[in-house]
Every structure is written in C-alpha cells, then in structure tokens.
Amino acid sequence: MQTEVLIVDPQSPETIPIARAAEVLRRGGLVAFPTETVYGLGANALDAAAVRRIFEAKGRPANNPIIVHVAEVEQARQLVAVWPLVGERLAVRFWPGPLTLVLPRRDMVPDIVTAGGPTVAVRMPAHPVSLALIRAAGLPIAAPSANRSTQLSPTRAEHVLHAMQGRIDLLLDGGPTSGGLESTVLDLTSAPPRLLRLGLITRSEIEAIIGPIVVSSAPPTGEASLPSPGMLPRHYAPRTPLECAADGSARVKELREAGLRVGRLALSDGGEIELPGVTTVRMPAEPSAYAAQFYATLHVLDAAGLDRIVVDLPPDHEEWLAIRDRLRRASTPP
Ligand code: TXA
Ligand code: MG
C-alpha cells in the first residue's frame, strides 16, 4: 500500500486535503492526523472491518480498546448508554481538549472498538485538523496513537511515517503537535470516578469540577483483561534502553567510564559541564513545555545509535506526574 501524505494548515485546514481524508475514512481506510496531544491513527468507529485494520497496522493486542473521537458533545452522547451529569460538567469545562471519558457503550459501537467490553472511551480533540476531519467525514473516528504498539507516541508527521509508511492509506501532516503527551483517561462508570491514565489534564483540575476521584493503581501482573492497557508496565518506550536518574550527571559519567554511548535528557537548570561523548538535550524546566518536546526528543535520541538514554527524573510534583508515569513505563525492561 502507498501512503499518501497531504500537508494541511494546522490552524485553518484547507478543504481539499480534509475532504480527501474524509473520503478515505468513509470508504473504510486508515488516516493518520494530528490532535493537540499526539498523532492519531483513525478509522470509521462504526465500521468494524475498518477498525480491525488499525489493530493490524499497529500490531495492537485485541484486548486494548480504542478511544472514539467526536466533534460535538451530541456525537458522544449517541455512542454512550448514559451521559451522566459529571460527564456533562467535565465536557463543558475540558472539551474540546485532552480528557477522555469512559462510559457505558451503546450497541451501535462495534465490539472491536471496546475490545468486547461494556464501555466506550470518548473524547473531543482540540485540534482544528481533527475537528475538521471528524465533521467532514460525518463520523465518529476511532483513533489510537499512530505508533506501533508499546513504542513511542508520534508528535510529528515524520514519526508517523517512520512507523506507518505503507501500512496506512493517508497521513495529514499538520506539523508538530502542541501537547506532546496523551490525553487523561477517566472512567466515569465507577463511583468515585477512576483515573485510568495520567495525562495533560491533572487530577486536581478534574477534582475542582466533580470532587474526589481515585487513581487506578497498576493491575496485578498476569491479569488477563486489563482495565486500560495503557496501564501496561512497559509502554511509550524507545528501543534504546532508558533509565531515570536522580543525579543524571553522575550516572552518565559512570556509564561513559564503562564505555557506553550515552544520551541524556537533562533538566535545564544549567551550570553543568557537558561530558565529551555524551549527547545531552536540555529539556524545559516547565512541565507543559517539557511534555511538548518529550517524545520528539526521545525519537531523536532513539535514532542516534546509543547504548543508553538517561533521563533526569523531574520533581515529584503534581504537574510532573504524567511525565513521570510515562518515564516509568518507558524504563520498564521488555
Ligand atoms: O491523546 C490521546 O488520547 C491519543 C490521541 C490520538 O487522541 N490517543 C491515544 O490512544 O493515546 P491510545 O489507544 O494510544 O491510548 C488509549 C488509552 C489506552 O490506554 C486504552 O487502553 C484506553 O485509552 N482505553 C480506550 N478505551 C477504553 C475503555 N473503553 N475503557 C478503558 N480504557 C480505555
Ligand atoms: Mg498509544
């Protein structure tokens, strides 16, 4: 399969590429597109055969359900059996935006989207290209991140091409995504609601709207059916072994002395002498700026032929928790 690439203006997407991509979706094809978090790999959410192709392209296990993207609250309500008041209040506050809500599904949602489960995850992305595409297709769009299963999420069109060229019909290239980290996933089917995946919207931002929620702990190992496979211990990982270090500069020095080729994601407090032979990337000290560059930096270091990537562990503060969560999964050995 040839993957067609169309450039699209991220702020005011042109009609022609959007119409072409919408047409591909309507006839059951796969379209990668930018969202405000990461690039998604979309298919018509109501077409089981089209969604099956997503699983094939990603090498995704069939027990991992997919988020359905909508352009209106009404479109989300059509997919769910219950639209609770807490859902309405969260949608008013955070949609369009990086919050995914898990709710009881309606029968019209194919089993393959929900991995056979009784719930469906819905979100309204805050990217003009995503919204224009969903509206032009006139369909809800099932879309996981556009990477091969368990690997780094794509925040630029080139990351998508690298992983998916020849596996998908079309890529809308809208430039780098701004958020850089995946959406927060919140399960509204349990009381109190349960945070399944940390993301760009924090626990306290959610609690300010709906009161106390709980954070799901990792499932016991060996459990057959996971509540949210994004909770898998190893995920979002580069191929190069990655480790976190409280003292990054001491750790890279040690590894250099052992003869390893090392890359480092340093926090930009400055003032340190850079070691020869170590590829150091100074990351922003502000969490949202850090998140925006996070995967792109890991993609670059992963392609640099290194033996090890060392990441300075960001502080244990709420606004860093989603990044610390991704780092923990990325550093889990296969
Ligand atoms: O920011 C994002 O969420 C991006 C963009 C493309 O929207 N999408 C994304 O999709 O990260 P994916 O498939 O890579 O991650 C979706 C997460 C997975 O951890 C999946 O298990 C969980 O959401 N999920 C999806 N449907 C679910 C459901 N019905 N119940 C529980 N978890 C669900
Ligand atoms: Mg993913």
Side-chain angles (χ1 to χ4, degrees), residues 33 35 37-41 58 60 64-67 69 100 102 113-114 119-121 123 143-147 153 181-183 185 196-197 227-231 235-236:
F33 61 96
T35 80
T37 60
V38 300
Y39 272 75
L41 178 52
K58 279 186 63 98
R60 184 179 178 101
N64 195 353
I66 296 186
I67 299 171
H69 296 67
T100 296
V102 173
V113 172
T114 68
T119 63
V120 62
R123 104 170 175 98
S145 52
N147 52 279
S153 290
L181 222 56
E182 303 81 358
S183 64
V185 180
L196 297 180
R197 180 174 70 182
S228 187
M231 305 295 287
H235 212 117
Y236 313 107

Side-chain angles (χ1 to χ4, degrees), residues 109-322:
V109 181
D111 276 343
I112 188 154
V113 172
T114 68
T119 63
V120 62
V122 287
R123 104 170 175 98
M124 189 195 296
H127 194 297
V129 172
S130 317
L131 292 171
L133 180 62
I134 298 163
R135 290 194 180 116
L139 295 166
I141 298 182
S145 52
N147 52 279
R148 301 272 294 161
S149 191
T150 77
Q151 296 181 5
L152 290 173
S153 290
T155 58
R156 294 164 187 250
E158 72 222 43
H159 304 154
V160 179
L161 268 188
H162 186 69
M164 292 293 164
Q165 192 154 36
R167 296 175 173 273
I168 63 175
D169 299 280
L170 193 147
L171 162 63
L172 286 175
D173 177 354
T177 65
S178 58
L181 222 56
E182 303 81 358
S183 64
T184 303
V185 180
L186 182 68
D187 182 356
L188 292 181
T189 66
S190 56
R194 209 157 48 111
L195 201 53
L196 297 180
R197 180 174 70 182
L198 301 171
L200 287 172
I201 290 174
T202 63
R203 176 184 188 167
S204 54
E205 286 177 288
I206 293 169
E207 290 185 325
I209 307 296
I210 61 167
I213 61 172
V214 295
V215 178
S216 188
S217 54
T221 49
E223 191 173 310
S225 172
L226 301 167
S228 187
M231 305 295 287
L232 281 174
R234 180 176 171 83
H235 212 117
Y236 313 107
R239 291 195 172 85
T240 313
L242 179 149
E243 62 176 86
C244 298
D247 183 346
S249 89
R251 182 62 183 147
V252 292
K253 192 155 177 277
E254 236 170 65
L255 293 168
R256 271 304 289 162
E257 282 163 10
L260 268 62
R261 289 160 298 175
V262 187
R264 176 179 172 205
L265 262 69
L267 281 166
S268 65
D269 36 21
E272 279 169 30
I273 297 150
E274 312 229 331
L275 283 177
V278 178
T279 310
T280 301
V281 180
R282 296 232 161 253
M283 296 294 286
E286 194 278 312
S288 62
Y290 187 110
Q293 290 179 30
F294 177 60
Y295 286 126
T297 307
L298 289 181
H299 277 284
V300 169
L301 291 183
D302 203 22
L306 302 166
D307 300 308
R308 195 70 58 86
I309 298 172
V310 174
V311 182
D312 294 22
L313 196 60
D316 191 7
H317 294 160
E318 190 188 25
E319 63 276 24
W320 287 100
L321 289 184

Side-chain angles (χ1 to χ4, degrees), residues 8-34:
V8 62
D9 185 312
Q11 292 315 316
S12 31
E14 301 84 350
T15 315
I16 290 174
I18 294 293
R20 167 93 191 108
E23 176 54 30
V24 170
L25 289 172
R26 276 195 301 267
R27 62 168 175 74
L30 299 186
V31 173
F33 61 96

